[in-house]
Amino acid sequence: TVRQYFEQRLESTATQDSPSSKRQRLEEGDDSNLLEFKQQQDRVTTVIDSHTLCVAYNIGTLVGKMHAAGVVHGDLTTSNIMIQNPPPTNDITNQETEQRSWEADLVLIDFGLATSTNSTIVTATAASNNDASNNIKKPHKQQHSAEEKAVDLYVLERAFLSTHPESEPLVEEVLKGYREFFEGLGSSNDGSSEGTYGHVAKAIFNRLEQVRLRGRKRECFG
């Protein structure tokens, strides 16, 4: 799973402090920073490199595709995303080329809590009485589902931050992949248009800010 992959990509950021300097502080009675020292010694951080960023970005794209299909997962965590193709090892001959060419192939699992928003991003409307304009594709109203999708993103965001140390850059990459997926929907081949459905992502991110605010209030006041 993605969780197992990120857990394998940890590195220590322990502060280098010799036993002699530690003993000196004790002898001098300076124990004010001992707890902080112990916490620093035990601290680890998730590696941020081209591989982990690729996984994070593709998670955002995958979640965007799911939401565009009108499905809300309900339990988005890194434990519920599988990596189909392992990334290249660090001892490959041409590492830089391999890193650029590797794309994480991800699959979402465990849809036990999933729900349908009954609102896909794009739908074909029925033709009506010689009005050809009614036969084009147009976005559904998303107000009722933006909240559910924002909660999905919030759960995933909290899963990253609580499970994977120092993973804020990965969260940003997830949200970037999600946003750019929607911005790419309906865009022209020459790249002159940023996409017809960028407003959908904007509505979801606005709701996400509200969900975050409610979450902070719960943390502060219970």
Side-chain angles (χ1 to χ4, degrees):
T1 65
V2 168
R3 175 174 180 170
Q4 292 170 325
Y5 169 67
F6 283 136
E7 286 177 345
Q8 293 170 359
R9 302 301 310 277
L10 295 174
E11 63 181 0
S12 173
T13 58
T15 302
Q16 299 300 321
D17 197 357
S18 66
S20 60
S21 62
K22 181 179 176 182
R23 183 169 55 253
Q24 181 180 359
R25 287 206 309 272
L26 285 171
E27 291 174 351
E28 294 173 352
D30 181 13
D31 58 355
S32 59
N33 294 321
L34 287 183
L35 178 59
E36 179 183 355
F37 171 78
K38 179 62 167 63
Q39 291 173 337
Q40 289 176 337
Q41 288 295 99
D42 295 337
R43 187 180 178 189
V44 294
T45 182
T46 306
V47 172
I48 307 297
D49 61 14
S50 61
H51 288 173
T52 54
L53 289 173
C54 173
V55 172
Y57 185 90
N58 286 11
I59 289 173
T61 300
L62 182 64
V63 175
K65 291 178 180 178
M66 177 183 68
H67 284 175
V71 176
V72 172
H73 190 277
D75 187 24
L76 269 182
T77 68
T78 52
S79 297
N80 287 333
I81 308 173
M82 302 287 293
I83 299 182
Q84 296 283 81
N85 57 329
T89 59
N90 290 329
D91 57 354
I92 55 181
T93 304
N94 194 344
Q95 180 177 348
E96 184 178 353
T97 301
E98 288 290 336
Q99 286 178 342
R100 287 199 305 265
S101 62
W102 181 73
E103 285 290 333
D105 183 10
L106 307 177
V107 176
L108 284 164
I109 62 173
D110 194 359
F111 284 82
L113 298 177
T115 57
S116 172
T117 64
N118 294 320
S119 176
T120 55
I121 297 303
V122 178
T123 182
T125 60
S128 106
N129 295 336
N130 300 325
D131 186 358
S133 64
N134 286 333
N135 210 18
I136 64 173
K137 292 185 176 182
K138 60 178 65 176
H140 253 299
K141 292 182 179 179
Q142 291 292 307
Q143 289 86 345
H144 68 288
S145 62
E147 172 83 8
E148 300 166 274
K149 294 170 182 176
V151 170
D152 238 8
L153 290 177
Y154 180 73
V155 170
L156 179 59
E157 180 179 89
R158 298 307 302 172
F160 261 96
L161 298 178
S162 63
T163 307
H164 309 293
E166 309 293 332
S167 60
E168 287 83 357
L170 298 179
V171 173
E172 293 177 4
E173 199 70 9
V174 170
L175 298 180
K176 177 183 176 183
Y178 186 89
R179 180 186 296 107
E180 291 185 353
F181 167 77
F182 279 103
E183 291 176 347
L185 285 178
S187 61
S188 59
N189 293 332
D190 60 5
S192 59
S193 171
E194 68 175 16
T196 310
Y197 306 106
H199 68 283
V200 175
K202 184 177 181 180
I204 295 171
F205 277 101
N206 286 341
R207 289 298 184 113
L208 178 58
E209 285 299 323
Q210 298 175 24
V211 173
R212 286 169 175 162
L213 180 60
R214 295 201 299 267
R216 287 193 291 267
K217 287 181 177 179
R218 283 196 297 268
E219 291 175 359
C220 292
F221 303 109

